Amino acid sequence: MTPQKTTLCLGSYDELYIIDLNKVIYMEADDHYTNVFYAAESSFMLPYGLGDIEKRILDMPWARKHLMRLGRKYIVNLRSVFRINTVKETIFLVNPAGGTINLHVSKPVLRSLIDLLRAHEH
């Protein structure tokens, strides 16, 4: 059995970015850039839009299963999700380095996520 690829490499002529998708808690759009957040409050900015990264993720079976686009602003590691509150329009992510991360996401997006997670439960 071939191990599944969990590293995303994005490059241009003079730069290469290597993202360990196992360590990603979430990614956040910032205009035409994307901020990648790992545990222990480490983060870095990529010169690629969230849509470009999402297209690459969709081509990777492991990433497609564990990372999900939530609205226009986020890609979230579903293994980090521990609570979803549609009233407060907030998704709560556990940070393996300690603490939690709260992201504001629209109610319809959260309801879709809840439905998806419940469907995979059975």
Side-chain angles (χ1 to χ4, degrees), residues 58-118:
L58 291 174
D59 290 336
M60 300 173 66
W62 181 92
R64 191 172 55 240
K65 181 179 176 183
H66 296 288
L67 300 172
M68 182 178 185
R69 177 84 181 250
L70 296 181
R72 294 172 46 181
K73 195 168 182 179
Y74 300 110
I75 292 176
V76 172
N77 186 331
L78 296 176
R79 295 176 308 160
S80 298
V81 175
F82 76 92
R83 181 177 169 207
I84 300 167
N85 186 316
T86 57
V87 174
K88 294 183 180 181
E89 297 185 337
T90 303
I91 186 168
F92 299 84
L93 308 174
V94 65
N95 184 342
T100 61
I101 299 164
N102 308 340
L103 304 177
H104 180 76
V105 181
S106 73
K107 195 175 292 190
V109 171
L110 292 178
R111 287 195 193 282
S112 295
L113 177 60
I114 288 170
D115 291 343
L116 176 79
L117 293 173
R118 283 185 176 154

Side-chain angles (χ1 to χ4, degrees), residues 29-56:
D30 185 1
D31 199 20
H32 297 291
Y33 298 90
T34 298
N35 291 305
V36 178
F37 293 87
Y38 285 163
E41 298 180 13
S42 79
S43 66
F44 54 93
M45 182 177 275
L46 298 172
Y48 298 91
L50 200 60
D52 295 330
I53 294 170
E54 179 185 24
K55 286 177 192 172
R56 299 284 191 99

